[in-house]
C-alpha cells in the first residue's frame, strides 16, 4: 500500500509550493525510479532485471545508449541474445532527508499561482467536470445497454526532460524503420526467414500473418504509418521498450483530450516549462497520407471504426473530427471493381485512404474472418490492386508479438546496419530450447506473456507476473511452458518508475506515487519517413496494481515533453482556404449516419408522444372524467397501439386501476418497444452512432434524460410500487429533457441532408401518431364528448391556442380547423404534411418549391377544405375526414419505407458513383 502524506494544507510554515511538495510528497516505492525527484528510491537489496550481469560485478555507471544485446547467430539459440549487461540502480545520497525535486517539477509547482496547493482540490473538481461534460469515455466492457465509463485522467502531467526525450525519439524512429523493413521483407523476398534471423513460427506460424498480401507493395513502399511503443523507465533512469502496437494502436485521440484538459488547469506552468505542441505532427501525418494516397485530387481519407460499442469509440469520433476525416463503419463502405467507395446519400464516393481502428482479422469477411460484420467485403482485393492506402497496412499483427523483441537487435543490424539505441526488456521466446531452459529458473522474476496475443485458442491467456505466483503456481506454469513453448514468451519484469499523482480517494487531497507506462507514437510524414509525436499517453497503475492498464482500472496522465529550443506553435487552421475548396471538401453524409439520424428523429418524436400520452392518461384516470366510457376506451386503444401496456391487460373501462398500474409499471421497461424507457434508450443508441455530428451539450442531454428516467423507475421498482404522483413527476422531467433535445435538434444543427433526415423522421412519426389518434377518436366517438374533445386537443399540444381562438366552442369544425387544416400550427396535419413534402424534395436535391415523386406520395394539404372534411355522413360519422386520416397514417409509413430503400440500402438508381 502506498505511503500517505499528511494533508498538504497543514504545513503553512513552508512558504513555496515546490518546497511543500518536496517535504510532503512520498518517495517512490523502494527500487523504483522517482519521476518527481529524478532518481531511484533505494532498495535493499537492489532488484535486478533478469538476465543482467550481477550488480556487484558492475561499477556505478549510467546506461550506454549505444549498447544493445547481441543478436543470435543464424540458427543459434535465442538465449544468447538475452545476456546483455544492465546498468546499476543510481545510488541516492546517504541521507534520511528526501532528495530535492527535479528542476522541471520545481518549476511546475512554483507556477501554481497565489492559491498554491490550496487550489488543487478545486482544479481536480474542474478537471473531473470537464471530462464528464466533454463526454470523454472508455468502455471497459462495451455494452449496448450499459453506461459508459468516464475517462480517467490525473491532475498532474508526466514531465519528460529534453535529454530523456532525445533518447526516446532517436530510439523510436530507429525501431519504426526496422519494423517497416521487416514487414517489407516478410511480405516480399522473405530473406530474413531464409537466413534464420526470424523463426518461421513467429511469422508464417502467427495467426495474424496474412498470406493473401504476400507480394503486395503498398503506396509509398510504407507499411507502417502509425506505430505505438510502450516504454518503461527503469531504476537506472533510462527508458526500455516493453511492447509495440502496429495493428490499430489507440491513444492518439485520448492524448489530445488529455492535453486540452490539463493545459486548461495549468496554463502558466505549460508555458513556463517550454512544452512541445502536438498539432504540427498531426498535420505532417495527414500531409504524408494525402501525398501517398493513390489517384485522387484531393484524396478522400476516412477513419474506419468498429462502431459506438467499441471501448475506445470516443477517441475514434474525436480524432476524426480533429483531423477532418469521415468517420465510417464497415457497413458504410463497399468495394466495386477493386475500388473502395463510401455509401453516401448522393451515391458512391471514392475513398483513397483509410485509417483503420480495427484489428486485421475483422477487415474483410471474404478472405479473413467470415463471421466479421465490422469489415468490408473485398477490401483486400482493393489493397492488392493498389487502389487504396490503408494505415496501417494489414498484416502487421505478428509485429506485436512480444517474442519479436528478442530478435530485433539482429534484424536492425541486418536491415539498417545500426545497433538499436533504445533497448527492449530482455525477452525469451520459449519456442527455442536454449531460451526455454535458460528462463525456467527465473520465472518468479519475470512476466509470462502469450506469443500470439489477441488470437483465440487453447493457449490464450493474459500476461501473468511471476512475482504474484506461489511456488505451486510457478511449477504449473513451467509445465505449461514446457508442453507448449512456442505459445509462451517470458519477459523480464521491470519495476516501473513512479510519478506524482493527485489523490483524493482516501480523505483530504494528497500527492501519491503511481507506477507509469508511457506510450509514444511514430507517424509517417511521407514515403519511408517518420516523426515521433512530442508527447504521448501515460498510463498509470491502480493504487495496489503492478500493471498499468486502462482495462484493469488504471488511469491516464498528460505527457509534457520539454524543449530547449523554440516551441512549434503550428495549428491545423487553414486560413487561406478558398470557397471552391471548401465546397469540394464538404463532409459527405454516409448512408449509415443518415439512417441513424432518421431514427434519432423518429425515436425523439416517439418518446415525446409516449410521454404526452402517458401523462394525459394518468391525469384523466385520476380526474372526474373517468366515468366517460368513450374516453376510457380511446385511452386504452391509444395505449395499446403505442405499446404503453401489454395486450393482455384489462382495458380501462373494465378495470381502471389495473390498467393504470400496468401503464405505470411499463414506463421504465427498456425491453418493451414503445415504452418511454425503451424510446429513451433508442435515442441514446442512435445518437451514439452519430456522436460526431452532435454537440456535446446535446449528447449530455440525451445521456442524462435516459439515466434520470430509468433511475426514477428503478427506485420505485425497488420499493415495489411506482405511485401515480411519482410517475407523473418522472414523466414531467422526461418531457422537459425531450423539449431540450428537440430545441438542440431544431436550433443547433446544420441544415444538411443528415438534419433533413432527422427532421423527416420526426415528422413521419408525428404524422402517423396524430392522424391515428384523431381517427381513433372519431371512430369510437370520444371527440363528441367534452372530456374526449379536450383530451384530443391536449394530445395535439394545442389547448392554449384552441381556447384563445375559439373561446367556448367545441365542435367538429373548430377541431378540424386547428388540428387538421391550420398551416401555422406545427402539430396540425396540414403543417406536418406540407413540411414533410418540402423536406423530402430538398433531400433529393430539388430546387425550393419543386417537389419530387416521393413527395407526391403524401396527401396535398392544398386540396383539403373544411366543408368537405366536416360533411357528416350516416350515424354522425365524417367519412371524408376519417378517410383522410387513414390516408395520412398509411402514407407516412409508406414514405418511411421508401426513404429506407432509396437512401439507406442504396438500391436501384442510387447505386451510382459520384466523383470517380
Amino acid at each position: 500500500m502506498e505511503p500517505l502524506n499528511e494533508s498538504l494544507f497543514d504545513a503553512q510554515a513552508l512558504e513555496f509550493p515546490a518546497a511543500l511538495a518536496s517535504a510532503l510528497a512520498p518517495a517512490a516505492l523502494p527500487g523504483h525510479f522517482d519521476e518527481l525527484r529524478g532518481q531511484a528510491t533505494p532498495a535493499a537489496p537492489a532488484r535486478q532485471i533478469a538476465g543482467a550481469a550481477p550488480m556487484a560485478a558492475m561499477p556505478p555507471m549510467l546506461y550506454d545508449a549505444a549498447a544493445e544485446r547481441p543478436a543470435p547467430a543464424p540458427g543459434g539459440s535465442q538465449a544468447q541474445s538475452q545476456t546483455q549487461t544492465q546498468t546499476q540502480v543510481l545510488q541516492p545520497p546517504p541521507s534520511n532527508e528526501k532528495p530535492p525535486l527535479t528542476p522541471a517539477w520545481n518549476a511546475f509547482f512554483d507556477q501554481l499561482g497565489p492559491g498554491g496547493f490550496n487550489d488543487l482540490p478545486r482544479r481536480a473538481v474542474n478537471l473531473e467536470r470537464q471530462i464528464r461534460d466533454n463526454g470523454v469515455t472508455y468502455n471497459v466492457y462495451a455494452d449496448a445497454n450499459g453506461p459508459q465509463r468516464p475517462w480517467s485522467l490525473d491532475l498532474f502531467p508526466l514531465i519528460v526532460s529534453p535529454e530523456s526525450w532525445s533518447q526516446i525519439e532517436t530510439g523510436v524512429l530507429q525501431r519504426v524503420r526496422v519494423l517497416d523493413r521487416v514487414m517489407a521483407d516478410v511480405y516480399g523476398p522473405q530473406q530474413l526467414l531464409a537466413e534464420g534471423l526470424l523463426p518461421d513460427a513467429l511469422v508464417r506460424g502467427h495467426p495474424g500473418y496474412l498470406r493473401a498480401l504476400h507480394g503486395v507493395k503498398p503506396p509509398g513502399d510504407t507499411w507502417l504509418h502509425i506505430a505505438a511503443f510502450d516504454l518503461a523507465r527503469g531504476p537506472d533512469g533510462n527508458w526500455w521498450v516493453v511492447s509495440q502496437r502496429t495493428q490499430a494502436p489507440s491513444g492518439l485521440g485520448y492524448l489530445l483530450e488529455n492535453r486540452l484538459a490539463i493545459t486548461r488547469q495549468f496554463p502558466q506552468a505549460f508555458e513556463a516549462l517550454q512544452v512541445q505542441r502536438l498539432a504540427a505532427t498531426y498535420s505532417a501525418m495527414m500531409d504524408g497520407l494525402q501525398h501517398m494516397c493513390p489517384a485522387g485530387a484531393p484524396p478522400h481519407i476516412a477513419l474506419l471504426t468498429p462502431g459506438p460499442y467499441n471501448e475506445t469509440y470516443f477517441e475514434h469520433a474525436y480524432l476524426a473530427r480533429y483531423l477532418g476525416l469521415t468517420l465510417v463503419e464497415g457497413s458504410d463502405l463497399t468495394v466495386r471493381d477493386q475500388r473502395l467507395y463510401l455509401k453516401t446519400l448522393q451515391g458512391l464516393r471514392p475513398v483513397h485512404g483509410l485509417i483503420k481502428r480495427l484489428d486485421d482479422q475483422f477487415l474483410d469477411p471474404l478472405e479473413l474472418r467470415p463471421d466479421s460484420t465490422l469489415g468490408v467485403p473485398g477490401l483486400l482485393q482493393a489493397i492488392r490492386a493498389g487502389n487504396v492506402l490503408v494505415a496501417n497496412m494489414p498484416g502487421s499483427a505478428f509485429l506485436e508479438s512480444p517474442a519479436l523483441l528478442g530478435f530485433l537487435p539482429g534484424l536492425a543490424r541486418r536491415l539498417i546496419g545500426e545497433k538499436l539505441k533504445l533497448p527492449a526488456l530482455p525477452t525469451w521466446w520459449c519456442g527455442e530450447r536454449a531460451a526455454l531452459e535458460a528462463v525456467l529458473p527465473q520465472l518468479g522474476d519475470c512476466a509470462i506473456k502469450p506469443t500470439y496475443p489477441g488470437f483465440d485458442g487453447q493457449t490464450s491467456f493474459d500476461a501473468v507476473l511471476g512475482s504474484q505466483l506461489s511456488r505451486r503456481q510457478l511449477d504449473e506454469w513451467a509445465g505449461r511452458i514446457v508442453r507448449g513453448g512456442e505459445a509462451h514468451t517470458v519477459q523480464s519484469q521491470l519495476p516501473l518508475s513512479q510519478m506524482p499523482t493527485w489523490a483524493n480517494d482516501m480523505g483530504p487531497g494528497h500527492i501519491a506515487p503511481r507506477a507509469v507506462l508511457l506510450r509514444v507514437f511514430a507517424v509517417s510524414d511521407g514515403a519511408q519517413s517518420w516523426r515521433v509525436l512530442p508527447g504521448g499517453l501515460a498510463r498509470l497503475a491502480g493504487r495496489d496494481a503492478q500493471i498499468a492498464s486502462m482495462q484493469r482500472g488504471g488511469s491516464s496522465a498528460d505527457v509534457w515533453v520539454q524543449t530547449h529550443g523554440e516551441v512549434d506553435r503550428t495549428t491545423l487552421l487553414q486560413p487561406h482556404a478558398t470557397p471552391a475548396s471548401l465546397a469540394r471538401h464538404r463532409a459527405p453524409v454516409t448512408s449509415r449516419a443518415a439512417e441513424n439520424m432518421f431514427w434519432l428523429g423518429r425515436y425523439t418524436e416517439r418518446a415525446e408522444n409516449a410521454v404526452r400520452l402517458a401523462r394525459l392518461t394518468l391525469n384523466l384516470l385520476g380526474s372526474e372524467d373517468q366515468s366517460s366510457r368513450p374516453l376510457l376506451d380511446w385511452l386504452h386503444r391509444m395505449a395499446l397501439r403505442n405499446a404503453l401496456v401489454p395486450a393482455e391487460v384489462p382495458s380501462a373501462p373494465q378495470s381502471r386501476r389495473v390498467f393504470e398500474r400496468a401503464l405505470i409499471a411499463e414506463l421504465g421497461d427498456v425491453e418493451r418497444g414503445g415504452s418511454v424507457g425503451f424510446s429513451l434508450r433508442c435515442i441514446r443508441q442512435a445518437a451514439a452512432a452519430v456522436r460526431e455530428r452532435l454537440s456535446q451539450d446535446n449528447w449530455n442531454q440525451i445521456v442524462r434524460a435516459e439515466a434520470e428516467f430509468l433511475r426514477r423507475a428503478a427506485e420505485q421498482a425497488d420499493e415495489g410500487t411506482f405511485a401515480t404522483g411519482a410517475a407523473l413527476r418522472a414523466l414531467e422531467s422526461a418531457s422537459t429533457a425531450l423539449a431540450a433535445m428537440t430545441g438542440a435538434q431544431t436550433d443547433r444543427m446544420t441544415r444538411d441532408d443528415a438534419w433533413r433526415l432527422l427532421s423527416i423522421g420526426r415528422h413521419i412519426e408525428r404524422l402517423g401518431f396524430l392522424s391515428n389518434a384523431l381517427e381513433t377518436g372519431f371512430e369510437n366517438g370520444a371527440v363528441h364528448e367534452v372530456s374526449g374533445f379536450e383530451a384530443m386537443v391536449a394530445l395535439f399540444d394545442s389547448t392554449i391556442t384552441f381556447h384563445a381562438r375559439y373561446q367556448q366552442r367545441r365542435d367538429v369544425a373548430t377541431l378540424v380547423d386547428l388540428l387538421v387544416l391550420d398551416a401555422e400550427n406545427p402539430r396540425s396535419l396540414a403543417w406536418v404534411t406540407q413540411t414533410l413534402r418540402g423536406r423530402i424534395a430538398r433531400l433529393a436535391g430539388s430546387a425550393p418549391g419543386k417537389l419530387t415523386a416521393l413527395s407526391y406520395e403524401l396527401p396535398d394539404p392544398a386540396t383539403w377544405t373544411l366543408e368537405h372534411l366536416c360533411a357528416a355522413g350516416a350515424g354522425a360519422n365524417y367519412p371524408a375526414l376519417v378517410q383522410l386520416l387513414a390516408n395520412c397514417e398509411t402514407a407516412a409509413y409508406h414514405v418511411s419505407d421508401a426513404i429506407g430503400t432509396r437512401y439507406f440500402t442504396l438500391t436501384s438508381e442510387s447505386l451510382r458513383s459520384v466523383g470517380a
Side-chain angles (χ1 to χ4, degrees):
M1 187 173 178
E2 69 187 20
L4 291 180
N5 53 300
E6 299 175 1
S7 172
L8 296 175
F9 317 118
D10 297 334
Q12 299 297 328
L14 294 171
E15 184 176 355
F16 300 106
L20 186 60
S22 179
L24 295 182
L29 293 177
H32 295 254
F33 187 86
D34 191 338
E35 297 285 348
L36 186 65
R37 297 177 172 87
Q39 63 183 37
T41 305
R47 180 183 176 90
Q48 284 186 259
I49 295 178
M55 300 298 286
M58 299 176 58
M61 57 178 292
L62 293 178
Y63 177 76
D64 181 2
E68 186 47 277
R69 295 183 303 280
S77 171
Q78 186 200 10
Q80 298 173 3
S81 69
Q82 309 300 336
T83 56
Q84 173 65 24
T85 57
Q86 168 82 3
T87 58
Q88 186 175 3
V89 174
L90 298 181
Q91 298 298 323
S95 171
N96 292 328
E97 297 182 3
K98 295 178 181 177
L101 306 186
T102 66
W105 280 107
N106 250 317
F108 176 85
F109 286 114
D110 282 339
Q111 291 293 329
L112 289 182
F117 279 107
N118 293 290
D119 199 36
L120 289 179
R122 180 191 64 82
R123 299 191 202 212
V125 171
N126 288 344
L127 176 63
E128 184 178 353
R129 182 186 301 114
Q130 182 178 342
I131 294 296
R132 184 177 62 251
D133 291 346
N134 287 354
V136 189
T137 56
Y138 180 89
N139 307 322
V140 178
Y141 299 105
D143 181 1
N145 297 322
Q148 294 176 312
R149 171 185 141 185
W151 179 248
S152 182
L153 175 61
D154 193 75
L155 187 62
F156 295 152
L158 172 66
I159 302 176
V160 183
S161 68
E163 294 75 20
S164 286
W165 185 250
S166 177
Q167 179 202 8
I168 292 172
E169 184 175 34
T170 302
V172 165
L173 284 175
Q174 189 185 47
R175 282 182 173 266
V176 74
R177 286 167 52 208
V178 174
L179 294 179
D180 185 84
R181 291 301 87 198
V182 168
M183 276 198 76
D185 178 81
V186 163
Y187 287 100
Q190 298 190 339
Q191 288 296 318
L192 299 176
L193 296 174
E195 297 173 13
L197 292 174
L198 260 181
D200 195 69
L202 296 183
V203 181
R204 289 186 288 229
H206 194 292
Y209 174 72
L210 303 183
R211 289 167 175 80
L213 292 182
H214 186 262
V216 175
K217 187 174 182 179
D221 192 26
T222 302
W223 292 80
L224 299 179
H225 303 273
I226 304 171
F229 297 86
D230 291 327
L231 309 179
R233 196 202 287 259
D236 60 353
N238 291 286
W239 294 92
W240 298 75
V241 176
V242 177
S243 60
Q244 52 206 20
R245 295 289 179 265
T246 53
Q247 282 193 88
S250 61
L252 280 176
Y254 284 121
L255 70 86
L256 279 172
E257 180 63 31
N258 287 358
R259 174 59 56 88
L260 180 65
I262 298 303
T263 53
R264 284 181 178 176
Q265 301 304 322
F266 304 106
Q268 295 87 358
F270 185 76
E271 290 293 333
L273 267 64
Q274 289 284 97
V275 180
Q276 297 195 54
R277 283 15 177 210
L278 306 174
T281 303
Y282 285 93
S283 180
M285 179 185 73
M286 291 306 302
D287 289 344
L289 291 175
Q290 289 172 352
H291 286 122
M292 284 187 284
C293 276
H300 179 203
I301 301 177
L303 191 150
L304 177 62
T305 173
Y309 302 134
N310 181 263
E311 60 188 8
T312 58
Y313 179 75
F314 166 83
E315 176 180 64
H316 306 168
Y318 185 93
L319 197 59
R321 183 179 297 175
Y322 180 76
L323 298 177
L325 303 172
T326 307
L327 185 65
V328 300
E329 295 181 26
S331 58
D332 294 325
L333 302 169
T334 185
V335 174
R336 304 289 169 82
D337 298 326
Q338 300 184 348
R339 294 184 181 275
L340 185 64
Y341 291 94
L342 176 66
K343 294 183 284 188
T344 75
L345 291 181
Q346 289 73 35
L348 302 180
R349 177 174 174 180
V351 175
H352 309 99
L354 198 63
I355 299 177
K356 67 178 181 70
R357 294 304 305 271
L358 190 63
D359 284 348
D360 295 343
Q361 57 186 321
F362 299 101
L363 283 177
D364 188 342
L366 293 183
E367 301 190 49
L368 302 174
R369 281 188 58 157
D371 60 340
S372 171
T373 60
L374 305 176
V376 187
L379 179 59
L380 293 191
Q381 188 179 26
I383 294 173
R384 284 194 296 266
N387 292 327
V388 62
L389 178 149
V390 178
N392 287 332
M393 188 71 169
S396 66
F398 76 95
L399 295 178
E400 296 184 345
S401 172
L404 194 70
L405 292 175
F407 296 92
L408 283 179
L411 296 175
R413 275 189 287 268
R414 170 63 174 79
L415 294 171
I416 63 175
E418 299 175 7
K419 293 182 179 180
L420 290 179
K421 299 179 180 179
L422 185 63
L425 292 183
T427 306
W428 293 263
W429 175 54
C430 297
E432 288 188 335
R433 188 69 187 177
L436 173 64
E437 293 175 351
V439 79
L440 284 180
Q442 306 180 58
L443 285 184
D445 295 322
C446 296
I448 307 169
K449 297 184 175 183
T451 299
Y452 312 112
F455 293 89
D456 293 334
Q458 295 181 348
T459 57
S460 179
F461 60 92
D462 293 330
V464 176
L465 298 181
S467 58
Q468 296 179 346
L469 300 178
S470 65
R471 170 48 57 188
R472 178 179 177 181
Q473 291 172 322
L474 283 172
D475 291 341
E476 291 175 352
W477 272 104
R480 296 181 198 176
I481 294 173
V482 170
R483 291 190 297 271
E486 286 190 358
H488 297 82
T489 298
V490 178
Q491 188 177 72
S492 292
Q493 185 179 344
L494 182 74
L496 300 179
S497 69
Q498 296 191 324
M499 65 169 283
T501 65
W502 180 254
N504 55 8
D505 55 344
M506 299 182 66
H510 61 279
I511 297 176
R514 289 284 189 275
V516 60
L517 196 68
L518 172 62
R519 172 166 290 189
V520 298
F521 296 85
V523 300
S524 64
D525 54 6
Q528 284 295 294
S529 176
W530 294 268
R531 64 172 65 187
V532 181
L533 186 74
L537 181 67
R539 290 177 292 167
L540 308 176
R543 188 175 70 241
D544 299 319
Q546 298 186 46
I547 297 179
S549 170
M550 301 303 295
Q551 292 184 339
R552 301 191 183 189
S555 59
S556 69
D558 190 17
V559 178
W560 289 9
V561 175
Q562 293 182 282
T563 177
H564 291 314
E566 186 176 350
V567 174
D568 187 340
R569 300 181 184 275
T570 302
T571 71
L572 294 186
L573 297 177
Q574 298 178 356
H576 303 298
T578 64
S581 66
L582 290 176
R584 282 198 303 271
H585 287 88
R586 184 169 297 169
V589 179
T590 68
S591 297
R592 176 193 53 83
E595 184 173 12
N596 280 287
M597 291 290 282
F598 176 76
W599 282 102
L600 175 61
R602 288 196 66 169
Y603 278 117
T604 304
E605 185 68 24
R606 189 173 296 180
E608 284 197 80
N609 294 337
V611 167
R612 186 176 292 107
L613 178 60
R615 292 178 70 189
L616 178 65
T617 301
L618 292 177
N619 282 320
L620 289 175
L621 290 177
S623 71
E624 60 186 15
D625 296 322
Q626 59 185 274
S627 60
S628 171
R629 190 172 185 86
L631 173 61
L632 293 178
D633 179 67
W634 177 72
L635 292 175
H636 176 246
R637 292 169 67 177
M638 288 298 297
L640 277 179
R641 190 264 182 188
N642 292 278
L644 291 183
V645 294
E648 63 272 12
V649 171
S651 67
Q654 292 174 330
S655 179
R656 183 180 60 82
R657 288 301 179 191
V658 173
F659 176 79
E660 180 183 35
R661 286 197 297 269
L663 188 150
I664 292 174
E666 295 295 320
L667 288 176
D669 188 350
V670 296
E671 302 298 329
R672 177 176 291 276
S675 74
V676 175
F678 180 86
S679 295
L680 290 173
R681 173 145 296 175
C682 290
I683 290 173
R684 177 178 62 80
Q685 290 173 339
V690 290
R691 185 170 171 185
E692 73 278 7
R693 290 186 165 270
L694 304 179
S695 70
Q696 191 57 50
D697 286 343
N698 193 359
W699 171 253
N700 290 341
Q701 290 167 353
I702 291 170
V703 173
R704 284 196 298 265
E706 180 203 15
E708 176 66 15
F709 187 82
L710 295 183
R711 180 189 64 79
R712 289 172 178 258
E715 288 176 353
Q716 294 296 324
D718 291 340
E719 296 175 6
T721 180
F722 198 165
T724 302
L728 285 170
R729 287 191 293 273
L731 289 169
E732 182 180 1
S733 176
S735 178
T736 302
L738 286 164
M741 290 182 213
T742 302
Q745 293 173 2
T746 303
D747 297 333
R748 297 186 179 183
M749 296 186 70
T750 303
R751 264 52 171 175
D752 60 0
D753 285 341
W755 178 85
R756 291 188 185 94
L757 278 164
L758 181 147
S759 179
I760 288 170
R762 285 188 64 96
H763 288 93
I764 283 176
E765 198 69 33
R766 185 176 300 179
L767 181 61
F769 175 80
L770 294 179
S771 57
N772 174 265
L774 198 53
E775 180 186 4
T776 304
F778 272 96
E779 285 180 348
N780 82 331
V783 296
H784 299 304
E785 296 188 359
V786 172
S787 57
F789 191 100
E790 291 287 351
M792 187 67 68
V793 174
L795 187 64
F796 274 68
D797 199 18
S798 301
T799 301
I800 295 176
T801 303
F802 183 86
H803 289 296
R805 182 178 298 179
Y806 304 111
Q807 304 298 320
Q808 296 301 312
R809 287 188 60 182
R810 291 182 179 85
D811 52 55
V812 171
T814 57
L815 192 73
V816 172
D817 183 52
L818 180 62
L819 304 188
V820 179
L821 298 176
D822 192 343
E824 295 180 353
N825 179 6
R827 292 195 174 270
S828 77
L829 301 185
W831 189 94
V832 174
T833 304
Q834 191 61 39
T835 301
L836 258 178
R837 286 159 63 96
R839 298 270 158 81
I840 291 171
R842 288 299 303 277
L843 182 65
S846 298
K850 299 290 185 180
L851 299 182
T852 62
L854 189 56
S855 299
Y856 285 112
E857 297 288 334
L858 294 161
D860 184 3
T863 64
W864 305 350
T865 64
L866 186 62
E867 294 77 10
H868 177 65
L869 296 178
C870 291
N877 290 326
Y878 296 86
L881 175 60
V882 172
Q883 184 61 48
L884 173 64
L885 296 175
N887 290 343
C888 284
E889 183 180 10
T890 301
Y893 299 121
H894 171 75
V895 167
S896 175
D897 293 340
I899 287 174
T901 300
R902 179 169 183 178
Y903 294 107
F904 306 150
T905 61
L906 287 183
T907 58
S908 66
E909 75 278 4
S910 65
L911 286 178
R912 63 190 184 278
S913 176
V914 292

